[in-house]
Amino acid sequence: MSALRKTCLIVDDSRAIRAVARQLLEELGFDAREAANGLEAIASCREQMPDMILLDRNMPQLDGIGCVRAIRALPGGKEPKVIFCTTESSLMAIAEAIAAGADEYIMKPFDREILELKLSMVGI
Amino acid sequence: MTAGEVALICDMLRRRSGLTLPPEKAYLLESRLRPVVRKYGLADLSALSALVARRNPQVVADVVDAMTTNETLFFRDMKPFSMFRDLVLPALLGGRAAQRSFRILCAGASSGQEPYSLAMILAEEAARLQGWRCEIVAIDISTTALERARAGVYSQFEVQRGLPTRLLLKYFRPVGDNWQIAEELRAMVRFRDFNLLNDLAPFGRCDVIFCRNMLIYFDPATKARTLQNIARRLPADGFVFLGASETTMGLTDALVPIRTSSGVYRPQAATGPAVAAVAPSPAAPSGSSAASAA
């Protein structure tokens, strides 16, 4: 049964935010993995490409923009739906994320309904 | 508040907005009307009920406004909008090729997310609609909601509820902490303070009518009257969109679903989704300014 569950990777340098996102996504039926920065996220994707990546923008070592570009360049890296989830809400920041390869963009703070709607928008 | 005062307000709400408040929901009066009581510096709900009894127009408008649900979001439920784009719009483009015009009526438009969602779909199809006259008329009885709708300014939360980011980037601009929909989209929608319970004749023929999640608040008689009112405005090849939990069954024979659970209805005589050629669209209602998607 668990093989049928969608998988997601939560990428955020805040442990608290990862915990909240994990709880929400597990309630929505995802098997969740976590990464604390862009480099960890790429390593995780090399091991197993998830169905969806919830990606913070500002992180140490490698930020969200660099991370999504790198993941999109990996074998199978165009498959996962990438949803940015960040406090950055400027038009420029949103446009940059979409241009870098994100499918959707969530501006923090957000609620469960917004997350569900965004998942539905990307077809997950 | 006495039982008589509750009855008085409930009766006014039913007559003015169609809203039927069952006895078990009467507690909502307490919570939702509290801000109105404060606004007018009144002692309590009994004092408010006295002003309603005297038919103070501003107080009555504020009570209706407070009690009616203005909950909405962009592309709410998604499916109706994809059906509009993929099924209804091609049918209109075929059926209205001679006159190159059509009119959409959005009932219960609230703060504008539904008509603006339709405007975005039309704007995305601008190449195919070049030279077409596409009117979107949006009605509501809440003047507060209409004021917001006309301004087209939405919070960060609101633009994230249902609106794809690609469309946010394309059709909105930041205004402080909020987002405003582009002027050219605002110009495509004409907002009118109009009660759905009244005869819709001033809007002439409406090729597509969106009346979603309105009937659920009405009693059966009001539902039936509203559906008949809507059906009278439709050409034989028009379309009606109702909410997911709404139906015409047992209320009217004038409208039939194009298929089960689709939420899309057509006049009884219409067959199949293709639109036959019909008479030219009538002129826009007096005092209106037509907007074009092209």
Side-chain angles (χ1 to χ4, degrees), chain B residues 7 21 28 31 38 83 108 116 125 137-138 161 196 213 225 248 269:
Chain B
L21 206 62
L28 286 174
S31 55
R38 272 201 300 273
M83 291 191 76
Y116 285 139
E125 300 290 338
V137 182
R161 295 175 75 220
L196 179 63
N213 307 303
R225 189 154 55 90
T248 60

Side-chain angles (χ1 to χ4, degrees), chain A residues 6-44:
Chain A
K6 299 268 186 195
T7 56
C8 71
L9 176 63
I10 301 159
V11 191
D12 201 302
D13 57 334
S14 160
R15 184 178 299 192
I17 287 175
R18 291 202 305 273
V20 171
R22 173 186 276 270
Q23 189 182 341
L24 281 175
L25 287 162
E26 285 182 346
E27 282 171 13
L28 293 171
F30 283 88
D31 276 338
R33 285 181 289 146
E34 296 180 23
N37 59 58
L39 292 180
E40 279 186 26
I42 293 165
S44 175

Side-chain angles (χ1 to χ4, degrees), chain B residues 112-281:
Chain B
Q113 283 91 329
E114 182 176 83
Y116 285 139
S117 298
L118 292 167
M120 280 185 265
I121 291 175
L122 296 180
E124 289 290 288
E125 300 290 338
R128 286 205 288 165
L129 290 168
Q130 195 70 45
W132 280 69
R133 175 187 159 101
C134 312
E135 275 186 82
I136 304 174
V137 182
I139 61 171
D140 203 285
I141 52 168
S142 166
T143 49
T144 313
L146 287 171
E147 215 169 283
R148 284 203 59 216
R150 288 189 185 103
V153 176
Y154 299 97
S155 71
Q156 186 171 293
F157 262 88
E158 287 170 317
V159 295
Q160 298 202 85
R161 295 175 75 220
L163 181 68
T165 300
R166 188 180 62 79
L167 297 181
L168 175 73
L169 288 172
K170 197 168 175 181
Y171 296 117
F172 288 74
R173 67 182 180 91
V175 179
D177 290 337
N178 298 317
W179 296 79
Q180 184 171 39
I181 195 156
E183 171 59 38
E184 63 264 31
L185 268 81
R186 272 183 283 150
M188 289 170 67
V189 184
R190 190 156 45 90
F191 290 98
R192 292 278 297 271
D193 178 0
F194 196 90
N195 192 333
L196 179 63
L197 301 185
N198 294 337
D199 187 356
L200 295 167
F203 301 106
R205 192 188 77 184
C206 299
D207 302 285
V208 185
I209 298 178
F210 276 73
C211 182
R212 302 175 58 226
N213 307 303
M214 294 282 290
L215 300 179
I216 47 173
Y217 300 106
F218 298 170
D219 62 31
T222 310
K223 284 180 190 181
R225 189 154 55 90
T226 304
L227 287 168
Q228 283 147 17
N229 195 10
I230 284 171
R232 278 196 294 274
R233 301 274 50 90
L234 283 178
D237 56 358
F239 294 89
V240 176
F241 286 76
L242 299 181
S245 60
E246 294 166 330
T247 179
T248 60
M249 204 180 292
L251 297 168
T252 180
D253 295 329
L255 298 166
V256 289
I258 60 166
R259 56 177 178 263
T260 310
S261 305
S262 64
V264 187
Y265 294 77
R266 307 200 68 188
Q268 175 70 275
T271 52
V275 173
V278 294
S281 176

Side-chain angles (χ1 to χ4, degrees), chain A residues 87 89-92 94-95 98 103-111 113-114 117-118 120-121, chain B residues 71 73-75 77-78 156-166 168-169 172-174 179:
Chain A
T87 51
S89 60
S90 73
L91 202 59
M92 200 182 291
I94 300 170
I98 298 296
D103 297 289
E104 264 302 332
Y105 198 99
I106 293 175
M107 295 174 262
K108 293 175 188 167
F110 65 101
D111 59 16
E113 187 191 13
I114 288 175
L117 286 166
K118 292 287 183 182
S120 163
M121 279 180 219
Chain B
E71 166 77 13
L73 60 154
F74 289 103
F75 297 97
D77 302 330
M78 282 190 186
Q156 186 171 293
F157 262 88
E158 287 170 317
V159 295
Q160 298 202 85
R161 295 175 75 220
L163 181 68
T165 300
R166 188 180 62 79
L168 175 73
L169 288 172
F172 288 74
R173 67 182 180 91
W179 296 79

